[in-house]
Amino acid sequence: MQLFYEPLATDTSFILNKEEAQHCLKVLRKKKGDQVTIIDGKGKYYLCVITDDNIKNCQLEVLNVETSTLPDRHIHIAISPTKNLDRTEWFVEKAIEIGVSEISFIVTQNSERRHIKLDRLLKKAVSAMKQSLKATLPVINDLVPISTFINEQKVDSTATHLIAYVDDANPLLIQNAITNSEKVLVLIGPEGDFTSEELELALTSGYQKVSLGKCRLRTETAGIVAITILNNV
Amino acid sequence: MQLFYEPLATDTSFILNKEEAQHCLKVLRKKKGDQVTIIDGKGKYYLCVITDDNIKNCQLEVLNVETSTLPDRHIHIAISPTKNLDRTEWFVEKAIEIGVSEISFIVTQNSERRHIKLDRLLKKAVSAMKQSLKATLPVINDLVPISTFINEQKVDSTATHLIAYVDDANPLLIQNAITNSEKVLVLIGPEGDFTSEELELALTSGYQKVSLGKCRLRTETAGIVAITILNNV
């Protein structure tokens, strides 16, 4: 199945944006009268019929609307961008495939990268959403310092706050820290990990220190392992 | 920590191969008298001192040998290679980071790729092993038809045999199929999944059909999700 993304879709009729119309009409050669499925990134699938197959004015009439089921758990990952941005893009793709509700980027003292290309990451995200047949685009937040992030998140007292940190002496596995929690936020550090000051700040702000298992993982792998475990326990 | 790979390492003294010696002596500028740690890919770490820092004859004397702990579970993934080989290389890297004992490649009817570059994949594997500070290189088996693979694996009756297959009506989650099994083999299909004949062959050969969750996953993501769950439940 092929999905097209139109964030401004409505329940009656709407125009498909030029980029998606190009793909739909030029590449896949859909014509007036053909049926297509549109997603709005907010959880809805629109089964439509093409009523005008002009690329600049691709009109769709809605035949049926379906709402996607909500995920069992709201998963929010705040992660340091990787030195090589490819790895961060890869993280975004896989995170969406496996299932994530929100991704935030944080700068920490050991972060080797201090800027991201949010546009590129959003494009990756849209493409992963379509490819994995999802109708909801996760919220993706631009890079902020970890202290700003922790301060902003303080207001959300309904979530379980976790920080992934290598502590060989006293590891609490992430799967044992989230008993039935419907909303989980996990901080994932850079190569070289969080500093002890950053860990301290998180702990005093109500975060719990968790382990993602015995193996040494790259940043982007740690993010994916956390999401996989949170979706499956 | 930086590890160097020498599959012919011994407990007393040995010569480091030229490729690793180049990295050790040229790039990292190690000299005679410096200490380095070597892995043999078979589970041993050798703490050594450099006794000759000639790249063509980099001699090492062993000071101490440590054996890595065995993984809790022997995980064997048999996976169809992806159309774009980058994704398969990525799978190998992440599989080793998260923890896998054996990777096999299988051609199925819907496989879009019918050859792999085993050399390249082995290089990726060695590099992932070193990066994640492991001393054991997983066995990586060349591509064979799925029927050949299933026939060969029949001899191993100590393993739990699973096939990942999308069955919305009656899904058995992988984490519920492996109760305490110390050895698990999972077949992962191509985009377009296994054919019903392939599924039938696996089922009649003693494989159990399992689900990796509700989300539609790419082949390489399915492999990583399986490995993550098997390492964490």
Side-chain angles (χ1 to χ4, degrees):
Chain A
M1 185 161 75
Q2 173 72 47
L3 300 177
F4 302 95
Y5 175 51
E6 176 48 70
L8 301 177
T10 69
D11 285 3
T12 50
S13 67
F14 56 90
I15 293 170
L16 186 60
N17 61 81
K18 215 175 127 191
E19 198 182 329
E20 291 290 85
Q22 177 94 16
H23 188 62
C24 177
L25 303 173
K26 278 274 172 190
V27 182
L28 300 172
R29 299 183 186 195
K30 299 281 182 192
K31 300 243 165 295
K32 187 173 166 176
D34 285 348
Q35 290 188 6
V36 289
T37 303
I38 312 294
I39 46 173
D40 62 359
K42 302 174 198 84
K44 282 187 179 172
Y45 298 90
Y46 302 80
L47 178 65
C48 300
V49 62
I50 301 173
T51 52
D52 187 341
D53 57 13
N54 181 332
I55 287 179
K56 289 182 190 159
N57 187 42
C58 177
Q59 297 214 29
L60 304 174
E61 209 177 283
V62 178
L63 302 174
N64 185 35
V65 184
E66 269 185 46
T67 304
S68 63
T69 51
L70 283 172
D72 297 335
R73 178 173 280 151
H74 185 282
I75 301 170
H76 181 178
I77 302 289
I79 192 166
S80 168
T82 51
K83 187 176 172 187
N84 177 341
L85 206 57
D86 283 1
R87 294 185 174 273
T88 298
E89 289 181 10
W90 169 85
F91 164 75
V92 168
E93 177 185 307
K94 296 310 173 204
I96 291 175
E97 266 184 69
I98 300 169
V100 73
S101 301
E102 189 166 355
I103 297 173
S104 298
F105 292 100
I106 48 174
V107 185
T108 69
Q109 212 166 311
N110 289 328
S111 297
E112 288 190 83
R113 169 173 285 275
R114 285 161 188 279
H115 63 274
I116 56 170
K117 295 174 183 159
L118 197 63
D119 273 16
R120 264 186 80 96
L121 293 173
L122 282 170
K123 271 199 177 168
K124 268 279 169 202
V126 168
S127 144
M129 169 181 64
K130 287 161 66 177
Q131 212 276 337
S132 57
L133 305 185
K134 293 192 161 81
T136 309
L137 190 66
V139 177
I140 301 191
N141 302 307
D142 209 349
L143 198 59
V144 293
I146 183 173
S147 52
T148 308
F149 180 83
I150 287 180
N151 268 325
E152 282 173 359
Q153 291 296 323
K154 265 187 190 157
V155 292
D156 186 357
S157 61
T158 64
T160 298
H161 292 60
L162 305 174
I163 177 167
Y165 192 80
V166 177
D167 178 356
D168 295 329
N170 191 19
L172 169 68
L173 291 173
I174 187 168
Q175 53 268 44
N176 298 331
I178 48 154
T179 39
N180 296 324
S181 180
E182 281 174 15
K183 205 167 175 185
V184 179
L185 162 61
V186 190
L187 304 181
I188 307 277
E191 312 268 317
D193 221 334
F194 295 109
T195 62
S196 49
E197 291 78 21
E198 287 163 347
L199 175 66
E200 198 51 36
L201 173 65
L203 295 180
T204 55
S205 305
Y207 285 73
Q208 216 177 343
K209 188 170 54 173
V210 289
S211 160
L212 299 173
K214 279 181 291 187
C215 295
R216 174 177 141 139
L217 305 172
R218 282 177 184 268
T219 297
E220 74 278 10
T221 319
I224 292 308
V225 165
I227 292 170
T228 304
I229 295 174
L230 293 176
N231 270 301
N232 287 284
V233 289
Chain B
M1 185 161 74
Q2 172 73 48
L3 299 177
F4 302 95
Y5 175 49
E6 176 48 70
L8 301 178
T10 68
D11 285 1
T12 50
S13 67
F14 56 90
I15 293 170
L16 186 60
N17 62 81
K18 214 175 126 192
E19 199 182 329
E20 293 288 85
Q22 178 94 20
H23 188 62
C24 177
L25 303 173
K26 278 274 173 190
V27 182
L28 299 173
R29 299 181 187 196
K30 298 282 183 191
K31 302 245 165 294
K32 187 172 164 176
D34 286 349
Q35 291 189 4
V36 290
T37 303
I38 312 294
I39 47 173
D40 63 359
K42 301 174 198 86
K44 282 187 180 170
Y45 299 89
Y46 302 79
L47 177 65
C48 301
V49 62
I50 302 173
T51 52
D52 186 343
D53 56 12
N54 181 334
I55 287 179
K56 289 182 187 155
N57 187 43
C58 176
Q59 296 213 30
L60 303 174
E61 209 177 284
V62 178
L63 302 174
N64 185 36
V65 184
E66 270 185 44
T67 305
S68 63
T69 51
L70 282 171
D72 297 334
R73 178 174 278 151
H74 185 281
I75 301 171
H76 181 177
I77 302 289
I79 192 166
S80 168
T82 51
K83 188 176 170 189
N84 177 342
L85 206 55
D86 283 0
R87 293 184 175 274
T88 298
E89 288 180 10
W90 169 84
F91 164 74
V92 168
E93 176 184 307
K94 296 308 173 204
I96 290 174
E97 264 183 71
I98 300 168
V100 73
S101 301
E102 189 166 354
I103 297 173
S104 299
F105 291 101
I106 48 173
V107 184
T108 70
Q109 212 166 312
N110 289 330
S111 297
E112 287 189 84
R113 169 173 285 275
R114 285 160 189 278
H115 62 274
I116 55 170
K117 293 173 184 160
L118 197 61
D119 272 15
R120 263 186 80 96
L121 294 173
L122 282 170
K123 271 198 178 169
K124 268 275 170 209
V126 167
S127 142
M129 169 181 64
K130 287 162 65 178
Q131 211 277 337
S132 56
L133 305 185
K134 293 192 161 81
T136 309
L137 190 66
V139 177
I140 301 190
N141 302 306
D142 210 349
L143 199 59
V144 293
I146 182 174
S147 53
T148 308
F149 180 83
I150 287 180
N151 268 324
E152 283 171 359
Q153 291 295 325
K154 265 186 189 156
V155 292
D156 186 357
S157 62
T158 62
T160 298
H161 290 60
L162 305 174
I163 177 167
Y165 191 81
V166 177
D167 178 355
D168 294 330
N170 191 19
L172 170 67
L173 292 173
I174 187 168
Q175 53 267 47
N176 298 331
I178 48 154
T179 39
N180 296 325
S181 180
E182 281 174 15
K183 205 167 173 184
V184 179
L185 163 61
V186 191
L187 304 180
I188 307 278
E191 310 269 315
D193 222 335
F194 295 109
T195 63
S196 49
E197 291 80 18
E198 288 164 347
L199 176 65
E200 198 51 36
L201 173 65
L203 295 180
T204 56
S205 304
Y207 285 73
Q208 215 177 344
K209 187 170 57 174
V210 290
S211 160
L212 299 173
K214 280 181 289 187
C215 295
R216 174 177 139 140
L217 304 173
R218 284 179 183 267
T219 297
E220 75 277 10
T221 320
I224 291 308
V225 165
I227 291 170
T228 304
I229 296 174
L230 293 176
N231 271 301
N232 288 284
V233 291

